[in-house]
Amino acid sequence: MEPLTIISLASSLLKAGPTLIKTVGGLFGEKSSSTAIKVADAVEQVSASLTSPEAQQLKVEQLLKTLSPAELKQLETVQVELAQIDAEREARQLAHQETIFETGQQTIRAGDSSANDNVASCRPNLAYISMSATAIYVVGMSLANAWSYGLGPDMAVAAFLISPAGAYMGLRHREKGQGTAS
């Protein structure tokens, strides 16, 4: 078997864990099940005895090299099913995150279009307060530094103060880059 196949197989097995390996191995008959149990037990021992992920990977690769070609073929079938399970899990997590984001956006939109003036003006007012506080802080600390008092404005504090205004104005670069901001 090719070295890259063994490396990817070892990585998949370590990521899945012993319980999932045994469960998926049982789906493909008795031979696959016995191979999966044997490998799962080894993965469990390796995970318990070694703390470094690199060392775990190397140990599982060494174990896989000792298996027969038939056992490796069975494990490749198990690996395909593990990859499908992992892809489904990731898709569900992404759908969940998207639902949470969309709910938050609906709440913001509902607040902005509220009939109650206090609710509708809350976010713009917070943005004005944020910009004003940032300007006062930066100018004040800069002037103090000019007259040899203090070290000047701390950019971490200034970023904290300006963040509500930035969010209100849509300066959410990371979210926009990921395609999660509207």
Side-chain angles (χ1 to χ4, degrees), residues 16-105:
T19 305
L20 191 56
I21 295 169
K22 290 176 186 177
T23 303
V24 172
L27 298 175
F28 298 105
E30 190 175 322
K31 289 182 181 180
S32 291
S33 179
S34 64
T35 302
I37 290 171
K38 176 176 154 182
V39 171
D41 290 341
V43 167
E44 187 173 21
Q45 290 173 353
V46 166
S47 296
S49 64
L50 301 172
T51 57
S52 165
E54 294 83 14
Q56 291 175 354
Q57 175 80 18
L58 287 173
K59 190 68 173 173
V60 172
E61 287 173 21
Q62 289 172 355
L63 166 79
L64 292 175
K65 289 177 184 176
T66 64
L67 296 177
S68 71
E71 290 175 321
L72 288 173
K73 203 64 155 164
Q74 293 165 353
L75 285 177
E76 284 180 337
T77 307
V78 170
Q79 180 186 18
V80 170
E81 187 66 26
L82 290 173
Q84 289 175 343
I85 290 170
D86 193 40
E88 290 171 8
R89 182 184 308 151
E90 187 174 330
R92 283 192 304 270
Q93 287 175 341
L94 290 173
H96 177 69
Q97 290 174 350
E98 188 175 324
T99 302
I100 289 172
F101 175 78
E102 187 57 37
T103 303
Q105 290 298 307

Side-chain angles (χ1 to χ4, degrees), residues 110-160:
D112 288 348
S113 62
S114 175
N116 185 333
D117 288 338
N118 289 333
V119 173
S121 64
C122 181
R123 283 183 357 108
N125 287 340
L126 285 174
Y128 296 140
I129 292 167
S130 168
M131 289 186 325
S132 300
T134 305
I136 291 168
Y137 171 74
V138 170
V139 170
M141 294 303 284
S142 296
L143 289 173
N145 187 29
W147 284 300
S148 300
Y149 294 106
L151 300 173
D154 182 358
M155 287 301 118
V157 173
F160 175 75

